[in-house]
Amino acid sequence: MKDDLYLAGKPGTETVMLGNHALARGAVEAGVELVSAYPGTPSSEIVEALNEASIGQGFYAQWSTNEKVAFDVAAGASLVGAKALVAMKSAGINVAMDTFVTVPYGGIKGSLVVVVADDPDAHFSSTEHDSRPLAKQAEILCLEPADAGEAKEMVRQAFDLSHQLQLPVMVRTVSRVSHGSANVTLGPIQRTEKKLGFNKHYDFQYRWNVYGPPGTRSKHEWLVKQFPKLEEYAEKSPFNQLKLAPGSRIGIIAGGLGSAYAYEAIRRLGLQDQVNWLKLGTAFPIPTKMVGEVLKNSDKVLIVDEGTNWIEGLVREIAQRTGARCEIVGKGLDQAMPMWGELDTDMVVRALAPLVGAKVAEDSARKSLKDDLAARICPRSSTLCAGCPHLGSYWGLRLALQRYKDGVHLLNGDIGCYEQAGYGIFAENLFSNDDSHLWKAQSVYEMLDTIYVMGSALGMAQGQALAGYKDGKVVAVAGDSTFFHACLPSVANTAWNGGQVVFMVLDNRWTAMTGHQASPTTGRVGNGSPAKSLDIATAAKALGFDHVLTADAFDIRTVKTALDEAFKLDGPVVLVVSGECRLQTVRRERNVVRPRTTVDTDKCNGCGTCLQLGCPALGVGPDGEKSEIDQILCNSCGLCAQVCNRKAINLQGGAH
C-alpha cells in the first residue's frame, strides 16, 4: 500500500499525508539514491517508509548503528555524486556533529539533505533541543516547513539546492509537522540513472581532504565565501512570503510551524490584511531585505517561533544593523510567549492582542470542556508493554539487590524502552536531602536513579566507581541498539580503566522504543531482508571484558543468579540479559495458540506483589483486593507467575 503512496501516486494528485511520509515522498520525487538514519521519534517514519519503498525501486536505504555513522554513510555517497538523505531526531544531530560541521569545509558533489526532527514539549525526548543554530554553526542553509505539504516540497527542492550550492542542506521539522497530517500535492518522480565518479581535485585541490593543500583554513575561507549564495537564495525563496498592509504599523514575522499558529491568530482576531506579514521558510539565513521591510514599516513586530527565540535573535541582529527603532516582541526579553514547551494559537492570540489593542474574550466553552475532561481522565505515565522482557530483568535486579539491604545502590539508565524503569509513577512521600539515602523501590518503575542520553550510563557508573563510591552497588543499564549506538567506546574504556561496575545490557533484539526497527541483534536489516545477528557478549569480550555473563530475561531466577555472581566478581562485569520483545514474537507467531494466564482467587490473598511487576495486563479484580489479568493485553510471558509467592497465577493450555 505504501508503494501507492510513495511511488505510484500520479503527479497532481492531492492527498492527506503524515508529515514524515511527505518528507519521504519529497525524497522519492527528487530521485534519492541513498538513505540512512538511526531511528528516533519523531523522525523514525521517514526512513521506515523509505526502507520499505526501496526494495526493487532503484535506491538504497539502511538503518545505521547511530546518527554519526548514518551521516557519514550519506556524506560518502554525496562525495561520489549521489543524491543522499540522512534523517535523525534532535538528539541525534549532536551525535553526528563531528562530521556535520566538517563536511561543509569541502562541500559535496551530488546532493546531501539532512532532515532533523525537533521535539518541542519533549513528547519523546529528554530535552527541547532547537537544532536550527547548528545550521549556522555548520554554515549551511536550513529550511523549516509549516506543514506536511511544504515539508514534501522543501525536501524535493533541497536536493537541487544542495547540488547547486555544493553544500549539505538541512531541513528542520518539529513533532507537530512530522506527526501531523495535511494536504499534499504529489509531484513527478525523477528516475535518475547513477553516474557516479570521484575526483579528489574536483573543482579545487584535495577537496574532500580537510587537511590537504591548501589546508583547513583555506577550505573554511571557501565555505564562508559561499554564504552570499545562501543569502541570495533566502531573498528569493518561494518559502519566504512578504505581504505589507498599507497603513499598518504592526508586523508579524513567523517561521515554520509558528507561521501556521500566527496565521490562525490573525484570522481569529479579524486582522486579515491589517498587519505586515512575513512568513519564513528559511530558518538560516533569513532574508535580510524582507525582514528590513517589516521593521521599516512597523512600530511593533511580533516574532512567532516554534522552539527557542532563534528567529527573534536573527531579527534583532538585522534591526541593530539597519538602525530600526521598532519594538520587537517575542520570547526574549519581554517573554510575551514562553521559551519552553510548544506554541499554540491561544498563546499567539494573547501575545498579538495587546499590540493591536484587542481584548481577548475567555473561551468559556472550551475551558469548561477541558475542566470536564481533566476530571474524567486519570493521570498516568507510560509503561512497559505486557510481557516485556525488561520486566523480568528489573525484577531479577531488584531481588539480587535485596541481599544488600543497607546499600544505597546507584542504577544508571540509558535511553530506550528500559528507561521507563526510572519514571517513578508509584513514588510518594519524597523529600530532598544531601547525603546517601536509601529509597526503596516499590515497583520496577522506580529502579533507575539517573537517565541522561544514549551511551551515558556506563561512563557515569565508571566515574562513580572510580571516584570511590562505596555506599552501594554501582550498575549501568542499556539496550541492545544503544549498546552498538553509543556504548562501545565506554565498554572499551571500562575494560581499559576498570571500575567496580555491573553493566546490564537488556537485549530484546529490536529498537522497540521508536517503533520496532531492526537493530544489529535482530538478524534482519531495515527492509526485512535476513542479515547477520551481532552478539553482544562476543563484542564485550573482544573489547577486553574478562567477566561476561548471560541470562534469560523471561527466567527471573537466572537473572538473579547471574547478578548474584556479578556482584561478587572483582572488576567490571557485563551481563547480557536476552529475551525478544514479546510483541514481535506474538506478531510473528500469530497462529500459535498461547497459554491462558489466570489467577486462582482461592490462593490469591491480594498482597499486590504481582502488581509491583508493572505489567499493564495486571490489575485489581472487582472485589478491590485480589489480582486480575486482562486477557486481551496478556502476552503469556509467565513473568507474573514467577513473581507470585502463593502460586496463585498459572499458565494453562496452549504452546509455552
Side-chain angles (χ1 to χ4, degrees):
M1 293 300 291
K2 287 184 178 178
D3 282 358
D4 292 339
L5 191 63
Y6 302 118
L7 299 171
K10 294 181 180 178
T13 302
E14 190 169 314
T15 184
V16 176
M17 193 178 280
L18 190 75
N20 277 347
H21 291 169
L23 289 158
R25 169 74 191 199
V28 173
E29 288 186 6
V32 67
E33 293 170 300
L34 181 139
V35 176
S36 57
Y38 181 80
T41 310
S43 69
S44 303
E45 295 86 354
I46 303 168
V47 174
E48 198 167 62
L50 290 170
N51 252 319
E52 188 172 331
S54 67
I55 302 174
Q57 298 299 328
F59 67 91
Y60 171 80
Q62 71 164 232
W63 289 121
S64 306
T65 49
N66 68 26
E67 293 85 354
K68 167 73 164 58
V69 174
F71 187 91
D72 293 351
V73 169
S78 72
L79 298 192
V80 293
K83 294 180 177 180
L85 177 140
V86 57
M88 60 197 72
K89 68 177 297 179
S90 52
I93 190 68
N94 299 323
V95 181
M97 274 301 288
D98 206 359
T99 327
F100 177 71
V101 296
T102 307
V103 163
Y105 272 45
I108 46 95
K109 179 182 175 186
S111 301
L112 178 55
V113 177
V114 186
V115 179
V116 182
D118 285 354
D119 186 21
D121 216 37
H123 295 287
F124 320 101
S125 312
S126 54
T127 65
E128 295 185 305
H129 193 297
D130 189 332
S131 300
R132 294 172 297 178
L134 302 181
K136 182 179 181 182
Q137 192 167 352
E139 299 168 273
I140 62 173
L141 178 68
C142 178
L143 304 177
E144 185 178 13
D147 56 32
E150 199 169 58
K152 191 273 292 182
E153 196 58 22
M154 279 186 176
V155 167
R156 188 187 67 78
Q157 293 194 25
F159 281 90
D160 290 338
L161 286 167
S162 175
H163 185 62
Q164 292 166 19
L165 296 168
Q166 297 188 331
L167 287 171
V169 171
M170 177 173 161
V171 178
R172 184 251 192 176
T173 177
V174 294
S175 303
R176 299 284 177 187
V177 173
S178 286
H179 287 172
S181 296
N183 284 0
V184 175
T185 302
L186 304 184
I189 294 174
Q190 289 189 41
R191 304 287 188 186
T192 55
E193 288 191 15
K194 287 188 175 68
K195 292 182 179 178
L196 306 182
F198 183 75
N199 179 352
K200 69 179 181 181
H201 304 305
Y202 180 74
D203 268 1
F204 56 87
Q205 298 172 342
Y206 299 97
R207 180 160 194 171
W208 322 119
N209 177 353
V210 294
Y211 297 109
T216 301
R217 178 189 172 281
S218 294
K219 284 168 185 161
H220 189 203
E221 180 182 349
W222 172 84
L223 174 58
V224 171
K225 287 182 177 176
Q226 307 312 302
F227 192 66
K229 297 179 184 176
L230 275 59
E231 290 184 309
E232 182 183 353
Y233 171 75
E235 294 295 344
K236 67 181 183 183
S237 170
F239 303 121
N240 295 330
Q241 297 158 6
L242 172 65
K243 188 175 183 181
L244 298 177
S248 175
R249 299 300 299 171
I250 301 296
I252 298 177
I253 299 175
L257 181 60
S259 65
Y261 294 132
Y263 182 81
E264 178 62 19
I266 290 171
R267 191 194 63 80
R268 195 180 291 181
L269 291 172
L271 297 173
Q272 296 94 325
D273 300 322
Q274 296 181 46
V275 295
N276 299 317
W277 166 253
L278 174 56
K279 182 259 180 194
L280 293 176
T282 61
F284 181 77
I286 60 175
T288 301
K289 292 179 183 175
M290 288 184 177
V291 172
E293 285 296 309
V294 176
L295 298 177
K296 184 175 69 177
N297 288 283
S298 306
D299 296 324
K300 298 178 180 178
V301 176
L302 177 68
I303 312 296
V304 185
D305 201 3
E306 183 66 294
T308 63
N309 61 340
W310 167 247
I311 289 178
E312 181 184 341
L314 296 178
V315 171
R316 287 185 183 277
E317 281 183 23
I318 294 172
Q320 188 176 39
R321 270 190 277 149
T322 59
R325 294 182 174 276
C326 63
E327 180 184 357
I328 296 172
V329 179
K331 294 183 171 182
L333 299 176
D334 53 84
Q335 295 186 347
M337 291 168 283
M339 205 156 56
W340 57 86
E342 289 184 302
L343 276 180
D344 60 35
T345 303
D346 289 343
M347 290 182 188
V348 183
V349 167
R350 287 195 293 271
L352 177 59
L355 303 187
V356 297
K359 291 185 177 179
V360 181
E362 183 179 3
D363 189 342
S364 56
R366 186 173 182 178
K367 183 178 184 307
S368 175
L369 178 61
K370 291 178 74 172
D371 291 344
D372 184 49
L373 286 173
R376 292 170 182 268
I377 298 174
C378 177
R380 60 181 289 269
S381 175
S382 58
T383 61
L384 294 164
C385 303
C388 176
H390 302 334
L391 294 169
S393 301
Y394 282 120
W395 197 269
L397 176 59
R398 185 184 181 192
L399 293 179
L401 289 174
Q402 285 176 354
R403 180 188 294 272
Y404 311 93
K405 292 183 179 178
D406 297 329
V408 181
H409 312 299
L410 262 169
L411 308 185
N412 300 275
D414 261 8
I415 302 298
C417 294
Y418 47 87
E419 77 184 48
Q420 291 167 86
Y423 283 10
I425 60 172
F426 296 113
E428 55 184 351
N429 299 326
L430 303 178
F431 60 91
S432 300
N433 64 304
D434 295 327
D435 298 321
S436 289
H437 181 89
L438 176 62
W439 296 94
K440 187 177 179 181
Q442 300 295 322
S443 82
V444 297
Y445 298 104
E446 297 177 18
M447 299 291 287
L448 297 179
D449 299 301
T450 75
I451 305 176
Y452 289 98
V453 301
M454 295 184 75
S456 66
L458 179 56
M460 288 191 169
Q462 192 189 20
Q464 292 153 4
L466 294 179
Y469 185 80
K470 301 291 186 185
D471 291 352
K473 300 297 180 185
V474 179
V475 179
V477 179
D480 51 300
S481 188
T482 307
F483 179 85
F484 290 104
H485 174 283
C487 293
L488 291 175
S490 282
V491 171
N493 193 60
T494 307
W496 177 28
N497 289 298
Q500 197 62 37
V501 174
V502 173
F503 180 33
M504 292 180 69
V505 186
L506 311 188
D507 179 11
N508 68 357
R509 307 292 171 84
W510 295 88
T511 313
M513 183 72 159
T514 50
H516 297 94
Q517 292 83 12
S519 91
T521 64
T522 305
R524 295 185 180 279
V525 291
N527 63 18
S529 302
K532 180 177 288 187
S533 176
L534 305 189
D535 183 68
I536 293 169
T538 301
K541 290 176 183 175
L543 286 171
F545 263 77
D546 296 325
H547 305 308
V548 179
L549 308 176
T550 59
D552 179 352
F554 290 110
D555 185 345
I556 293 174
R557 182 178 55 81
T558 69
V559 177
K560 177 184 178 297
T561 301
L563 281 164
D564 285 340
E565 181 183 353
F567 288 138
K568 293 174 184 173
L569 289 169
D570 184 26
V573 183
V574 168
L575 170 59
V576 184
V577 188
S578 301
E580 186 177 19
C581 171
R582 198 68 174 179
L583 297 184
Q584 286 293 337
T585 309
V586 171
R587 286 169 184 163
R588 188 173 58 249
E589 301 172 356
R590 61 185 61 187
N591 295 324
V592 174
V593 178
R594 300 199 171 278
R596 180 182 175 86
T597 313
T598 60
V599 178
D600 184 337
T601 53
D602 291 334
K603 293 182 179 178
C604 177
N605 64 352
C607 68
T609 302
C610 60
L611 301 180
Q612 294 176 19
L613 179 66
C615 178
L618 282 159
V620 178
D623 66 354
E625 293 183 0
K626 298 185 178 181
S627 297
E628 183 181 65
I629 295 174
D630 186 326
Q631 297 299 326
I632 296 176
L633 292 177
C634 179
N635 284 316
S636 309
C637 69
L639 289 171
C640 55
Q642 297 176 48
V643 166
C644 179
N645 295 320
R646 295 179 63 83
K647 308 295 182 187
I649 301 178
N650 300 286
L651 276 71
Q652 299 174 335
H656 288 257

